[in-house]
Amino acid sequence: MSQTPTTDAIPTGRREDEIQVYDLHKSFGEREVLKGISLTVHQGEVVCVIGPSGSGKSTLLRCVNLLEVPTSGRVFIMNEEITDLDADVDAIRSQMGMVFQQFNLFPHLTVLENCTIGQTVVKKIDKAQAENIAQGYLEQVGLGDRGSAYPAQLSGGQQQRVAIARALSMDVEMVLFDEPTSALDPELVGDVLGVMRALAQEGMTMMVVTHEMAFAREVADRVIFMDDGVIVEEGHPDLVIGNPQHERTRAFLQRVLDPTHVPAEPEADDEPAEHEAEPRRRSRLF
Amino acid sequence: MSTPTAAPTRRRMSPRRRARTVRLVQYAVLLAVIVWLIVTMDARQVQSVFLRPDLVGETLLGIPQHLLNTLIYTAGAFVVGLVLGTVLALMRLSQVAPYRWLAGIYIEFFRGVPAIIVLLAFGLLPVAFPGLRFPLDPYGTVWAALGMVSGAYMAETIRAGIQAVPKGQVEAARSLGMPVSTSMRRIVLPQAFRIITPPLTNELILLTKDSSLVYVLGLTTAAFELTKFGRDLSNSNGNLTPLVVAGFCYLLITLPLTFLVRWMESKQKKAR
């Protein structure tokens, strides 16, 4: 289970450290998106990662469960190194849920099947028991009666709640959220955030990339502000969001919290791109 | 206030009038051709060449067996093509470059070469390699040859279907802990095949007609498919009726498939 790390920089392996990231670098071609990120997420902790588009926060999250392979650096999940070439990545991933911006529900499967396929295929749980577990989580997200529906028949907010139930159905230790409300109509955001808030209160370990400052401030135990591939500032939400120390954090929060605000010195086209850097490449996953 | 002046008289027709005239001329031409056909055509002569009743009856007697042969050739080749096409499509998407090249070369070769040459080559293989025999001869030979050709076409369709499945689907599957192969089998391929069912059905239609090429293999009478059967009967009677009947039998297979494709496409359009 626990591997004894060799480098000095890689400490202890205390049980309560669920995610440990050491000096993570990620480049897409010439462009370095992550420039040395180190962080730790403890058991039961809710960490929100905020920052401008293109700052590398989604890439960071995707590196944590190895959907992107880091250029260098190490990532430990529950004291197992997922970046190790010999690691059983699938086994580690099955303990770690991921919720995507675009939901990514399986459209050819019903809501219930979406929540059971991981259990039956990966964990080899028998179908009846898997359905039992899935049904429980669907009820938890308020969709216990929609098990036989197909994703296309649901609203965006419902789909995202199913996606959360799908992640939870694997009985995960932690859940990664990649901008879970960014693709939702404004009136549907509240339902999803409500589910996430309840999950946080239950003590689930969560790492959330988000633009929802109010949610981060209310729910997060710690907020990490990223800009241009580095962690600029991190700490209690009241500090990072309420009383930011760095000029870059202040400028970002001002833009987010007061979009009509015109900065004194106009910056060069404030929003670079909607999506984080993901150059078209041959998909690594095939 | 001015009194309405008469529109200036124009020599040229307005566009709408011109369009109407053109349309009338088109109808007139069509009518003329039909009248000419009716007047000049010797209906009895035509019928005796294309649809002689006694020959229709004689042909129909042999149809079931040879229609079945056509179906067997087609279905077998389709299955071989489907499996081969899937393998080739996965090779095309492989991370290992030589696999991509090999699949690319195969696809370009078999799409560029006439199917009849492939069939001829397969027919000659046992001659070139004494002792070589295809299982279930001649069916095995036909399935292999036509399957190899249609596999090349299907590979490109299947590849397109796989690529049409959003990348997020694989990521979601992988993040649940599914290995690459499982997420391909359980998540990507089911969606890909749903997307490409219409073009694959078209491929099946083409294959049905291509099965007529197997006559070049020099088969026994029992193994004749529709075309060869109709052609032989036509030759021996000096009459086209058996070929016409055989031709209609193809429509019996292909027309329902065509409507099926159209129905699936309209359904897909609605689902989007």
Side-chain angles (χ1 to χ4, degrees), chain A residues 78 80 90-97 170-174:
Chain A
M78 296 171 38
E80 254 187 287
D90 293 327
I92 300 174
R93 277 183 182 143
S94 68
Q95 305 171 7
M96 180 168 42
M170 294 295 284
D171 280 328
V172 287
E173 296 288 328
M174 69 201 84

Side-chain angles (χ1 to χ4, degrees), chain B:
Chain B
M1 184 66 197
S2 61
T3 51
T5 48
T9 46
R10 286 226 202 133
R11 273 293 157 88
R12 296 184 51 203
M13 264 189 281
S14 76
R16 283 177 62 200
R17 277 181 194 283
R18 194 162 54 234
R20 194 176 65 179
T21 313
V22 168
R23 215 155 42 228
L24 282 175
V25 170
Q26 287 175 353
Y27 276 115
V29 169
L30 183 65
L31 197 68
V33 169
I34 291 171
V35 168
W36 177 78
L37 275 177
I38 291 172
V39 169
T40 57
M41 192 176 72
D42 183 343
R44 195 166 298 163
Q45 171 69 16
V46 169
Q47 195 204 1
S48 70
V49 172
F50 289 103
L51 276 176
R52 220 175 73 199
D54 58 317
L55 259 182
V56 170
E58 189 186 335
T59 313
L60 281 179
L61 278 181
I63 285 293
Q65 184 197 352
H66 302 291
L67 181 64
L68 184 67
N69 277 337
T70 290
L71 290 176
I72 291 172
Y73 289 135
T74 307
F78 188 71
V79 170
V80 172
L82 208 56
V83 173
L84 193 64
T86 307
V87 172
L88 285 167
L90 292 175
M91 283 172 71
R92 281 284 271 193
L93 295 167
S94 166
Q95 280 202 285
V96 184
Y99 281 142
R100 294 201 296 273
W101 302 333
L102 281 175
I105 292 167
Y106 179 98
I107 291 167
E108 291 311 327
F109 182 83
F110 280 96
R111 286 203 306 185
V113 170
I116 200 165
I117 286 188
V118 180
L119 268 167
L120 283 169
F122 266 80
L124 289 175
L125 273 182
V127 181
F129 299 97
L132 177 80
R133 282 189 61 85
F134 285 94
L136 293 172
D137 198 55
Y139 298 103
T141 316
V142 173
W143 291 341
L146 287 181
M148 283 180 78
V149 175
S150 72
Y153 285 93
M154 288 192 229
E156 288 295 79
T157 309
I158 296 168
R159 179 183 59 81
I162 290 173
Q163 286 180 323
V165 177
K167 209 177 144 206
Q169 290 292 311
V170 184
E171 291 181 350
R174 301 286 276 136
S175 74
L176 286 172
M178 283 189 213
V180 182
S181 55
T182 312
S183 54
M184 179 57 76
R185 211 176 56 245
R186 299 296 298 261
I187 303 299
V188 177
L189 285 183
Q191 293 183 57
F193 275 98
R194 205 159 296 191
I195 295 169
I196 58 172
T197 311
L200 277 187
T201 314
N202 272 327
E203 186 59 37
L204 182 60
I205 293 172
L206 293 178
L207 204 53
T208 309
K209 296 184 291 178
D210 274 357
S211 70
S212 64
L213 295 175
V214 306
Y215 76 89
V216 299
L217 286 179
L219 307 164
T220 58
T221 323
F224 282 180
E225 40 64 60
L226 281 172
T227 306
K228 176 69 173 160
F229 165 69
R231 181 173 158 221
D232 277 14
L233 258 186
S234 280
N235 279 344
S236 56
N237 288 288
N239 188 289
L240 284 171
T241 304
L243 264 183
V244 171
V245 173
F248 274 107
C249 287
Y250 279 101
L251 292 182
L252 228 56
I253 306 170
T254 56
L255 277 184
L257 287 175
T258 308
F259 287 120
L260 185 69
V261 172
R262 212 170 285 169
W263 177 74
M264 284 188 296
E265 276 171 348
S266 72
K267 216 179 109 184
Q268 259 185 11
K269 222 171 266 167
K270 257 182 235 157
R272 233 160 247 163

Side-chain angles (χ1 to χ4, degrees), chain A residues 204-235:
Chain A
M204 176 62 78
T205 310
M206 293 162 67
M207 187 167 168
V208 187
V209 170
T210 187
H211 290 293
E212 301 287 338
M213 291 307 140
F215 174 82
R217 187 149 191 188
E218 178 204 331
V219 177
D221 298 306
R222 190 148 45 97
V223 169
I224 294 176
F225 172 71
M226 278 181 69
D227 192 13
D228 198 24
V230 295
I231 293 178
V232 175
E233 179 162 3
E234 80 174 282

Side-chain angles (χ1 to χ4, degrees), chain A residues 53-216:
Chain A
S53 301
S55 59
K57 39 190 204 315
S58 280
T59 307
L60 167 63
L61 200 70
R62 294 161 60 81
C63 282
V64 166
N65 75 350
L66 219 66
L67 283 182
E68 300 288 353
V69 178
T71 310
S72 71
R74 308 175 76 176
V75 177
F76 291 80
I77 305 299
M78 296 171 38
N79 300 322
E80 254 187 287
E81 184 177 1
I82 195 171
T83 42
D84 185 354
L85 203 56
D86 295 323
D88 185 352
V89 177
D90 293 327
I92 300 174
R93 277 183 182 143
S94 68
Q95 305 171 7
M96 180 168 42
M98 175 114 178
V99 175
F100 298 87
Q101 182 177 356
Q102 301 294 341
F103 328 138
N104 295 348
L105 292 181
F106 305 131
H108 61 303
L109 303 178
T110 65
V111 164
L112 192 65
E113 286 166 345
N114 264 279
C115 298
T116 55
I117 189 166
Q119 300 183 66
T120 52
V121 169
V122 178
K123 293 171 81 178
K124 312 289 180 201
I125 294 175
D126 73 68
K127 199 173 161 230
Q129 196 190 342
E131 283 177 353
N132 235 339
I133 294 170
Q135 185 62 32
Y137 284 113
L138 282 173
E139 269 154 29
Q140 188 180 331
V141 302
L143 293 168
D145 55 338
R146 302 309 304 272
S148 58
Y150 281 89
Q153 297 168 303
L154 304 180
S155 73
Q158 290 172 326
Q159 288 191 44
Q160 192 62 299
R161 277 143 66 198
V162 173
I164 294 172
R166 176 175 69 179
L168 296 176
S169 292
M170 294 295 284
D171 280 328
V172 287
E173 296 288 328
M174 69 201 84
V175 184
L176 312 175
F177 292 88
D178 186 7
E179 303 196 23
T181 58
S182 297
L184 294 177
D185 291 337
E187 77 268 23
L188 303 175
V189 169
D191 290 346
V192 172
L193 290 182
V195 168
M196 289 169 65
R197 187 179 294 118
L199 201 58
Q201 275 156 10
E202 278 178 28
M204 176 62 78
T205 310
M206 293 162 67
M207 187 167 168
V208 187
V209 170
T210 187
H211 290 293
E212 301 287 338
M213 291 307 140
F215 174 82

